[in-house]
Amino acid sequence: MSGHLFNAPERERFAAAAGIIAAALPQPATDVIAGITGLSATAPAAVEAAAMLAGALGVQADRIAIRDDMWIAYHALFAPGAGHIVYAGTGSIGLHIAADRTTVRVGGRGMLVDDGGSAFWIGRRALDLVWRARDADPGFASPLASALDAAMGGAEWDVQRPYIYGGGRNAVAQLARAVAAADDSMAREILGTAGGELARLARALVARAGDLPVALVGRAASLHPAVAAGFRAAAPAVRMRLANPDAAVAAARLAVGVAVAQADDNEN
């Protein structure tokens, strides 16, 4: 599910996911914290998302807190003010949440602007390099080219075009796995450069919010050791570690904290 409720298919997917969550709960929920991709607490669609979740889960809308998924991921790894996270999944973003709950965000503007170092960026870069090589030499062959061809069902542009433009951003992002599996010099260069792009986000966070530990998270970050190596080469002074936060557990823990605080207020 995503917070792009202005898009009819995404709205339907959101409603379906809310129903799946409701059916899976072992008992009725009382408080909800939802970390939703592409949706912040202040976005106009946050009210609509809360209403949809309230209807599906049988929870009062004022007991539902809408946050974005990176807010949840941050709290899974750090107390506010204790560190930075750099996320590399389909897209990429860097985030710091200060002790006073203000946030610093870098990147995260989507594929039409940047998303440097993300799975989409890796897949797009690989396609770009392979097709440029084929423009110069139609017989160009390499492990990377073969891996991309296999992932899309053929080497011909007439085969790859519907995969790319029919599947869009997610389809291109899936090609990052083929890049990692190819493990040739061209693929490793792409992956190392992706790490450098993620390091740029980390350096920006350190410059703006302090020299704190950085957690590098997301599936694209752990695709291949070359990503972390590229990060460290581009930001040797940054204290980075790879991490795999459990966002669901973090959200539940935060929701319990909200419920306890509200119960204490009621008692007082």
Side-chain angles (χ1 to χ4, degrees), residues 125-138 140 145 148-149 152 154-161 164 186:
R125 182 64 175 152
L127 288 168
D128 178 37
L129 291 177
V130 167
W131 277 108
R132 285 177 181 231
R134 284 177 171 164
D135 284 343
D137 175 9
F140 172 78
L148 293 175
D149 294 345
M152 292 182 284
E156 299 78 16
W157 178 239
D158 284 344
V159 172
Q160 295 190 6
R161 179 172 51 195
I164 295 166
M186 186 182 288

Side-chain angles (χ1 to χ4, degrees), residues 13-259:
R13 190 174 292 113
F14 189 102
I20 292 169
I21 293 168
L25 290 176
Q27 61 189 42
T30 58
D31 293 86
V32 175
I33 289 184
I36 302 171
T37 302
L39 191 59
S40 67
T42 57
V47 174
E48 185 177 3
M52 293 174 70
L53 288 171
L57 301 176
V59 179
Q60 295 178 7
D62 62 358
R63 303 297 291 268
I64 296 177
I66 300 295
R67 301 289 188 268
D68 66 59
D69 54 343
M70 289 300 98
W71 188 91
I72 298 289
Y74 186 95
H75 283 85
L77 292 166
F78 296 114
H84 311 302
I85 67 169
V86 172
Y87 169 81
T90 302
S92 62
I93 189 171
L95 176 68
H96 171 78
I97 299 178
D100 64 1
R101 311 293 175 171
T102 58
T103 61
V104 176
R105 292 175 180 273
V106 294
R109 298 181 185 90
M111 65 178 185
L112 295 181
V113 179
D114 191 357
D115 267 352
S118 68
F120 172 83
W121 184 95
I122 291 168
R124 180 184 60 189
R125 182 64 175 152
L127 288 168
D128 178 37
L129 291 177
V130 167
W131 277 108
R132 285 177 181 231
R134 284 177 171 164
D135 284 343
D137 175 9
F140 172 78
S142 73
L144 176 59
S146 296
L148 293 175
D149 294 345
M152 292 182 284
E156 299 78 16
W157 178 239
D158 284 344
V159 172
Q160 295 190 6
R161 179 172 51 195
Y163 173 92
I164 295 166
Y165 290 102
R169 177 174 179 256
N170 289 333
V172 173
Q174 289 296 319
L175 295 177
R177 298 179 181 180
V179 178
D183 198 29
D184 65 3
S185 59
M186 186 182 288
R188 287 192 294 274
E189 181 179 358
I190 293 168
L191 294 164
T193 305
E197 291 287 327
L198 300 174
R200 181 188 66 82
L201 299 178
R203 292 195 307 269
L205 288 172
V206 168
R208 293 176 58 183
D211 183 10
L212 298 167
V214 174
L216 182 59
V217 303
R219 291 183 180 179
S222 58
L223 273 174
H224 191 281
V227 178
F231 183 109
R232 292 191 172 98
V238 172
R239 292 172 285 159
M240 182 273 282
R241 64 182 175 91
L242 287 167
N244 184 26
D246 192 325
V249 169
R253 175 171 50 80
L254 292 163
V256 168
V258 170

